[in-house]
Amino acid sequence: MQQEFNYQIEKEMLDSLIKNPKEFEHKHHSDVAKILKEIYHNEGKDVYISYLRKIPEEYLGEVLLELPEYIKDEALEELSVEKLADVVDELDSDDAADLVQDIAELDSQKEQEILSSLDEEDAKDIKHLQGYSEDEAGSIMQTELFSAKLDEKIGESIERLKELKEDGLDNLNSVFLTDEFGLLIGYMPLEDVITFDFNKTYREHLKKQYKQVRFLSSTSSLDEVVNYFEDYDLMVLPIVDSQGHLIGRITSDDIYDIIEERATEQIYKMAGVHEESEEERDVKLITKNRAIWLLINLFTAIAASLVIGLFDQTIQAYVALAVLMPIVASMGGNAGTQTLTVMVRQLALEEINWSEAKQAIGREVLVSLLNGLIFAVVMGLVALVWFGNYKLGIVIGLAMVINLLFAGFFGAMIPLALKKIGIDPAVASSVLLTTVTDIVGFFAFLGLAKVILIGN
């Protein structure tokens, strides 16, 4: 009842905003997107679309970009070319390019009609940004920025800044300085600029207040961009072309989105789940993609079962082995997953490379060996107390050490090896590791049991 009541309050709030459009300035677009998502799920597509049509164009673009893909796509299909053209026109260049690209993937004809409806300069900027590949800095670059020539008076640039703010330029904390040819020279924080004599030029203050500027090319990889923001705690990063001309900037909000997307992607990959199909909510597509992964796991499970089949007589002789056997495999799998998760994360964040592999593998093997010894003693005592057979305790203890040792080694080695040969470690590592820990665990446990308990 409380959830339904809250939904009604949120819906009434959105109704109030629509009646007083200026109030949208005081409501964050992500909050509006959450309400629209609830409307979609509670009242259906038609009501959801009707609300979208009533939201003013200057706010609707950012709202659309916050919606889940499967809901946003329906909106882009239903909204008219005229409405979408007005929406795109109100967005910053990077967001406009993203939204137009989303439209292009659904209906290329609609994309062309929207671009032809835009101002020629805006359409040119969008096409230019679309020309970059997804892993290049230019693909998330914003062309709107605040810059000044070295010989421009500070007061004049501040007047320009006021106009830029009125036009919607935000996320400003510095001015980028260029020479007469547009080459990036440096930057100054706005908090310093406002303390200067407005009748003097930037050049006159440059020696005292000069800040070394960090920048990247529009063709730099997104990995480089993310690393720059993380390493230097940046709020904004200027982007230059191949000749060094200032052509855009990347702000920290875009980097947060990239980091979140990559984290989500890694989680999906580790589980063998296809991100796009999950977002689309297509049951057939989701089933197909998950089934492929499950089929691979089925073959690995069969391989482990074949190992168990080799020792069927040993298991028949000692029924206790069937009780304890899953423990060895489970402990090896969990230990290996711990190592695997750490290694995949470090590789994804480029915190480790092949030259450091030997040290990393050695560390993980040592940790696994120590844990193996600890839990060998624990399980040895448990087996002794449980079944009253010290030999059974020795068997499971030795098997535990062997399996955890292999789990540590392969948990570190598999992702490093896959990365070396160009395969994404997040995709294939878990299947290979599970196969190793199951087969080694069962073979070690049952093999030792056959030798120690039966004696042949």
Side-chain angles (χ1 to χ4, degrees), residues 33-51:
K34 289 177 183 176
I35 300 173
L36 287 168
K37 181 181 176 182
E38 290 301 315
I39 289 174
Y40 179 91
H41 289 299
N42 283 275
E43 302 191 38
K45 174 182 173 180
D46 292 341
V47 177
Y48 158 72
I49 296 297
S50 69
Y51 271 92

Side-chain angles (χ1 to χ4, degrees), residues 257-315:
D257 291 340
I258 291 173
I259 293 173
E260 181 182 358
E261 287 171 6
R262 291 187 173 185
T264 301
E265 183 182 7
Q266 289 292 318
I267 292 170
Y268 277 134
K269 284 182 176 179
M270 288 287 285
V273 176
H274 196 275
E275 181 180 3
E276 292 184 4
S277 65
E278 297 295 324
E279 290 179 349
E280 291 293 336
R281 306 294 175 92
D282 185 329
V283 174
K284 290 183 179 179
L285 190 58
I286 292 173
T287 303
K288 176 184 175 182
N289 283 305
R290 292 192 188 182
I292 293 172
W293 192 256
L294 291 172
L295 180 62
I296 295 171
N297 278 297
L298 176 62
F299 285 118
T300 64
I302 291 173
S305 297
L306 290 174
V307 172
I308 296 174
L310 297 175
F311 299 95
D312 56 341
Q313 293 182 353
T314 305
I315 297 173

Side-chain angles (χ1 to χ4, degrees), residues 346-386:
Q346 289 180 342
L347 287 170
L349 297 178
E350 297 186 349
E351 294 178 357
I352 188 173
N353 54 44
W354 191 253
S355 63
E356 301 169 312
K358 184 177 180 181
Q359 181 181 359
I361 294 172
R363 181 178 62 250
E364 294 299 332
V365 167
L366 179 60
V367 170
S368 296
L369 176 60
L370 293 174
N371 276 326
L373 292 171
I374 292 170
F375 289 101
V377 173
V378 172
M379 278 309 304
L381 293 174
V382 168
L384 176 60
V385 173
W386 193 350

Side-chain angles (χ1 to χ4, degrees), residues 223 343-344 346-350 352-354 413-426 429:
D223 288 336
M343 295 301 296
V344 169
Q346 289 180 342
L347 287 170
L349 297 178
E350 297 186 349
I352 188 173
N353 54 44
W354 191 253
M413 188 65 192
I414 288 172
L416 285 167
L418 291 175
K419 182 76 172 180
K420 183 70 173 178
I421 61 177
I423 298 175
D424 190 342
S429 295

Side-chain angles (χ1 to χ4, degrees), residues 10-281:
E10 290 173 344
K11 186 182 174 184
E12 289 172 7
M13 185 184 301
L14 183 56
D15 288 330
S16 176
L17 290 174
I18 290 172
K19 292 177 182 177
N20 303 281
K22 289 187 178 180
E23 293 299 313
F24 272 99
E25 295 180 4
H26 307 296
K27 189 73 172 176
H28 198 275
H29 47 269
S30 65
D31 293 328
V32 177
K34 289 177 183 176
I35 300 173
L36 287 168
K37 181 181 176 182
E38 290 301 315
I39 289 174
Y40 179 91
H41 289 299
N42 283 275
E43 302 191 38
K45 174 182 173 180
D46 292 341
V47 177
Y48 158 72
I49 296 297
S50 69
Y51 271 92
L52 285 174
R53 291 191 172 116
K54 297 174 186 176
I55 297 176
E57 288 81 358
E58 58 264 39
Y59 308 111
L60 182 55
E62 292 185 328
V63 171
L64 287 171
L65 290 169
E66 289 290 332
L67 291 169
E69 290 292 333
Y70 67 98
I71 298 179
K72 179 175 65 177
D73 288 348
E74 293 196 17
L76 297 179
E77 288 174 345
E78 294 293 331
L79 294 176
S80 67
V81 170
E82 293 75 17
K83 179 80 170 179
L84 289 173
D86 290 338
V87 167
V88 171
D89 189 50
E90 293 290 340
L91 289 169
D92 292 334
S93 55
D94 56 338
D95 291 333
D98 287 342
L99 192 60
V100 170
Q101 184 59 40
D102 289 337
I103 296 169
E105 291 173 0
L106 296 171
D107 187 341
S108 59
Q109 179 63 34
K110 197 170 191 177
E111 176 212 15
Q112 293 305 314
E113 291 177 11
I114 291 170
L115 288 174
S116 63
S117 301
L118 298 176
D119 177 85
E120 184 178 345
E121 192 64 30
D122 291 339
K124 183 180 178 181
D125 282 345
I126 291 173
K127 289 178 180 177
H128 175 69
L129 294 177
Q130 286 181 311
Y132 292 101
S133 66
E134 291 184 357
D135 62 346
E136 288 183 326
S139 66
I140 62 169
M141 175 180 69
Q142 180 182 350
T143 57
E144 299 88 355
L145 49 77
F146 176 44
S147 65
K149 296 287 195 297
L150 285 175
D151 293 316
E152 183 177 10
K153 288 186 177 180
I154 292 174
E156 294 175 355
S157 71
I158 295 299
E159 289 301 316
R160 281 194 302 103
L161 176 58
K162 292 178 182 178
E163 295 176 5
L164 291 171
K165 287 295 294 180
E166 290 176 359
D167 290 338
L169 184 62
D170 55 10
N171 287 338
L172 289 173
N173 55 23
S174 59
V175 52
F176 299 117
L177 303 177
T178 64
D179 65 10
E180 57 183 313
F181 303 107
L183 296 171
L184 182 63
I185 301 298
Y187 84 101
M188 289 184 183
L190 288 181
E191 61 188 28
D192 291 343
V193 172
I194 61 176
T195 65
F196 294 161
D197 183 344
F198 281 18
N199 292 316
K200 292 185 177 181
T201 66
Y202 283 97
R203 188 184 295 275
E204 293 177 85
H205 291 283
L206 190 60
K207 290 183 180 179
K208 293 182 179 180
Q209 300 292 336
Y210 174 76
K211 301 286 186 182
Q212 181 184 6
V213 61
R214 302 189 187 281
F215 63 91
L216 284 174
S217 164
S218 58
T219 56
S220 298
S221 71
L222 288 186
D223 288 336
E224 290 182 85
V225 175
V226 172
N227 289 340
Y228 259 55
F229 273 88
E230 290 180 338
D231 292 343
Y232 303 114
D233 296 323
L234 300 178
M235 294 299 294
V236 63
L237 178 69
I239 301 298
V240 301
D241 62 15
S242 57
Q243 284 78 43
H245 299 100
L246 178 64
I247 59 172
R249 63 173 182 152
I250 296 175
T251 52
S252 56
D253 58 320
D254 293 316
I255 301 305
Y256 300 148
D257 291 340
I258 291 173
I259 293 173
E260 181 182 358
E261 287 171 6
R262 291 187 173 185
T264 301
E265 183 182 7
Q266 289 292 318
I267 292 170
Y268 277 134
K269 284 182 176 179
M270 288 287 285
V273 176
H274 196 275
E275 181 180 3
E276 292 184 4
S277 65
E278 297 295 324
E279 290 179 349
E280 291 293 336
R281 306 294 175 92

Side-chain angles (χ1 to χ4, degrees), residues 383-446:
L384 176 60
V385 173
W386 193 350
F387 296 102
N389 189 330
Y390 76 93
K391 288 186 178 181
L392 191 57
I394 294 173
V395 167
I396 195 170
L398 290 175
M400 192 77 72
V401 172
I402 293 171
N403 203 21
L404 263 67
L405 191 61
F406 272 80
F409 176 76
F410 283 100
M413 188 65 192
I414 288 172
L416 285 167
L418 291 175
K419 182 76 172 180
K420 183 70 173 178
I421 61 177
I423 298 175
D424 190 342
V427 176
S429 295
S430 59
V431 171
L432 295 175
L433 180 63
T434 301
T435 304
V436 170
T437 54
D438 283 353
I439 290 177
V440 170
F442 291 140
F443 191 86
F445 182 58
L446 297 175

